[in-house]
Amino acid sequence: MSSQIFSHVELAPSSWQQSALQTDCKLHQLAPYIGKLKPNIARHLLSNFTNRGDTILDCFAGSGTIPLEAALLGRKVLAFDSNPYAINLTRAKLEAPRTLILANERLKQTLDASKRRMRYDESQIPEWVRKFFHPETLQNALRFCDECIERSDNFLLACLLSVLHHQRPGFLSYPSSHLVPYLRDRKYSREEFPDMYTERDLEPRLSAKITRTYRDLEPANRDNVITIEQISVEKLKLDREVDAIVTSPPYMNALDYIRDNRLRMWFLDRNTQNYSPEPTDKANRFDDMTAAFADNAFKFLRSGGRCILVVGETVSRKRMTSHPAERLYQRLLKQHPDLRLEHVIQDNIPDVRRSRKSGAATKRELILVLQKAG
Ligand SMILES: C[S@@+](CC[C@H](N)C(=O)[O-])C[C@H]1O[C@@H](n2cnc3c(N)ncnc32)[C@H](O)[C@@H]1O
């Protein structure tokens, strides 16, 4: 790539493009999340640019890829995100039960308790939610969800959200897509596929999900977690210095984490009404977010500490003349003239990793490795 701002851009190692599904910690696949970073990239960045025992900040934690890899690599973790589903997933991955036996025990207790809960008044459930499920499946899923929330059991809650919608039999909804919820009732009509519209039992589906997750699993040490909290970077108040920041800020213009997670988010918070686009849908809001990041996160990086930013790019670049990483870097430099650019690494994202194959999707990310003057 040619850049007016970055004089030297390195190409990402070819290993980043290869699938590491067999070697990645299984918790990374706990549930889908748009704009997820590949675990092997997080691992590479953390191993190469931070040290064991370092305190790492990820203030855009998303599904918790960086926090989980950091904890597995013996780093201490501070994780934040504005989205409640992101925080549920991050906690689920870092606070998973130690063993399959413990996870199954918890599942049994929680399922039993959920069955004793009051049933929902169907007329209180929005129609757009009801049309995804058989009424009995929806009742049971909601009561299980509430029981998990009451018990602060993020792991079981994430397992439920993970099997919430798909067209496969191991999921709870009528035929629909997995990542972003859309019904597939045209392709799989009730008349032609009546089996896809019957009640779905929670227990075998959750149990299978848990068994898959615990295959060869070595959970992270919980002692490595300092905090995981739902808070936006604009409101973040840190009480300590950190040794490194490793994070991937929201893609400017590209992804809408609220709208695309709407069904899972409605389960997490029934009062969620507003699925309007996130503040990052405009370039100037991206700049505001960068300013908040500089004030509330970068300022707390210790002298000599590294800040590693994985910055995505949108395909549709209306009125945009530069990569968002350039924009972010220049604005950060204005607020912190003492930072030094160590590396710019370019990673081309293959179609399989994009949330949408066409239209507004991220096709190339730049990784900035910055160092605060020591
Ligand atoms: C590119 S994603 C992070 C993906 C993550 N690295 C992963 O592997 O799942 C960016 C995240 O920023 C969050 N976000 C958007 N605006 C935010 C804000 N103002 N403050 C904090 N988090 C925000 C989104 O909810 C999203 O989870």
Side-chain angles (χ1 to χ4, degrees):
M1 129 175 187
S2 63
S3 166
Q4 289 159 5
I5 311 289
F6 306 131
S7 54
H8 180 63
V9 178
E10 302 158 34
L11 266 190
S14 57
S15 60
W16 287 16
Q17 299 294 335
Q18 286 152 18
S19 163
L21 280 182
Q22 296 311 316
T23 47
D24 288 345
C25 172
K26 291 284 180 296
L27 284 166
H28 283 299
Q29 292 162 47
L30 193 58
Y33 195 80
I34 53 166
K36 215 165 142 171
L37 186 64
K38 271 181 82 183
N40 61 333
I41 299 180
R43 196 152 55 237
H44 178 105
L45 296 172
L46 285 158
S47 307
N48 283 277
F49 299 115
T50 73
N51 298 307
R52 208 175 170 78
D54 275 359
T55 299
I56 310 285
L57 166 67
D58 183 354
C59 47
F60 304 106
S63 62
T65 313
I66 294 167
L68 176 58
E69 279 302 318
L72 288 167
L73 291 167
R75 277 73 168 154
K76 304 274 181 215
V77 174
L78 294 163
F80 305 96
D81 197 289
S82 57
N83 185 314
Y85 176 45
I87 291 305
N88 162 249
L89 283 183
T90 303
R91 288 200 176 125
K93 290 176 185 179
L94 287 145
E95 298 167 3
R98 300 284 323 152
T99 64
L100 174 62
I101 294 174
L102 287 175
N104 277 330
E105 271 172 21
R106 245 157 74 174
L107 174 64
K108 188 179 172 336
Q109 286 163 6
T110 312
L111 268 173
D112 287 349
S114 74
K115 287 175 190 154
R116 295 192 288 273
R117 295 186 77 93
M118 291 250 299
R119 290 176 67 84
Y120 273 83
D121 175 355
E122 251 181 64
S123 65
Q124 301 298 310
I125 303 174
E127 207 203 326
W128 72 268
V129 174
R130 271 187 279 146
K131 63 179 195 188
F132 279 91
F133 303 95
H134 183 282
E136 211 45 38
T137 311
L138 182 54
Q139 281 290 339
N140 293 335
L142 279 173
R143 290 188 298 166
F144 181 78
C145 180
D146 287 349
E147 191 60 36
C148 291
I149 291 173
E150 216 166 273
R151 291 169 180 243
S152 303
D153 194 326
N154 283 286
F155 175 75
L156 287 181
L157 190 52
C159 290
L160 173 79
L161 298 178
S162 146
V163 298
L164 206 56
H165 52 88
H166 202 322
Q167 68 212 28
R168 296 202 193 131
F171 291 74
L172 297 171
S173 70
Y174 294 149
S176 65
S177 47
H178 189 34
L179 193 57
V180 178
Y182 292 107
L183 272 174
R184 294 232 162 107
D185 48 356
R186 278 208 195 143
K187 187 166 178 199
Y188 303 102
S189 71
R190 276 177 193 262
E191 291 68 35
E192 258 188 282
F193 300 91
D195 288 356
M196 292 177 109
Y197 292 86
T198 54
E199 184 189 343
R200 309 260 175 126
D201 194 356
L202 259 65
E203 197 277 331
R205 293 174 171 84
L206 288 169
S207 175
K209 171 77 209 169
I210 291 173
T211 306
R212 282 199 299 277
T213 303
Y214 278 82
R215 211 170 281 151
D216 307 319
L217 182 67
E218 186 66 55
N221 183 352
R222 283 182 191 206
D223 293 344
N224 288 335
V225 178
I226 300 172
T227 187
I228 301 171
E229 249 184 86
Q230 184 195 335
I231 191 158
S232 68
V233 74
E234 291 80 3
K235 297 201 173 127
L236 185 64
K237 294 218 176 341
L238 289 179
D239 59 1
R240 67 189 74 209
E241 266 195 352
V242 297
D243 298 305
I245 300 173
V246 185
T247 196
S248 45
Y251 300 133
M252 174 160 45
N253 272 333
L255 302 175
D256 184 337
Y257 301 93
I258 298 180
R259 192 193 57 212
D260 286 357
N261 289 314
R262 60 192 173 275
L263 197 48
R264 296 185 181 98
M265 288 189 61
W266 184 84
F267 268 73
L268 284 175
D269 179 3
R270 307 305 137 65
N271 296 317
T272 313
Q273 299 287 338
N274 181 5
Y275 295 103
S276 59
E278 287 224 337
T280 50
D281 66 340
K282 294 210 168 68
N284 58 354
R285 301 253 172 96
F286 185 80
D287 296 341
D288 292 347
M289 192 208 62
T290 308
F293 172 79
D295 280 344
N296 301 340
F298 196 87
K299 201 162 90 188
F300 289 83
L301 182 62
R302 72 164 167 78
S303 300
R306 288 202 171 99
C307 171
I308 297 146
L309 299 167
V310 181
V311 189
E313 179 201 45
T314 54
V315 168
S316 115
R317 300 176 69 188
K318 283 182 219 148
R319 287 181 284 125
M320 279 170 58
T321 50
S322 64
H323 190 283
E326 296 175 327
R327 196 177 177 104
L328 199 157
Y329 171 68
Q330 284 184 309
R331 276 171 172 71
L332 215 51
L333 197 59
K334 241 188 224 165
Q335 271 168 275
H336 293 276
D338 53 342
L339 67 80
R340 194 169 73 83
L341 183 63
E342 277 194 323
H343 300 275
V344 181
I345 307 167
Q346 179 179 322
D347 182 30
N348 296 322
I349 303 175
D351 266 355
V352 285
R353 260 180 67 209
R354 299 189 206 160
S355 65
R356 297 188 183 92
K357 302 251 158 68
S358 58
T362 301
K363 67 170 179 188
R364 200 175 43 152
E365 57 201 2
L366 287 183
I367 291 109
L368 305 184
V369 182
L370 311 168
Q371 191 172 35
K372 205 167 186 177

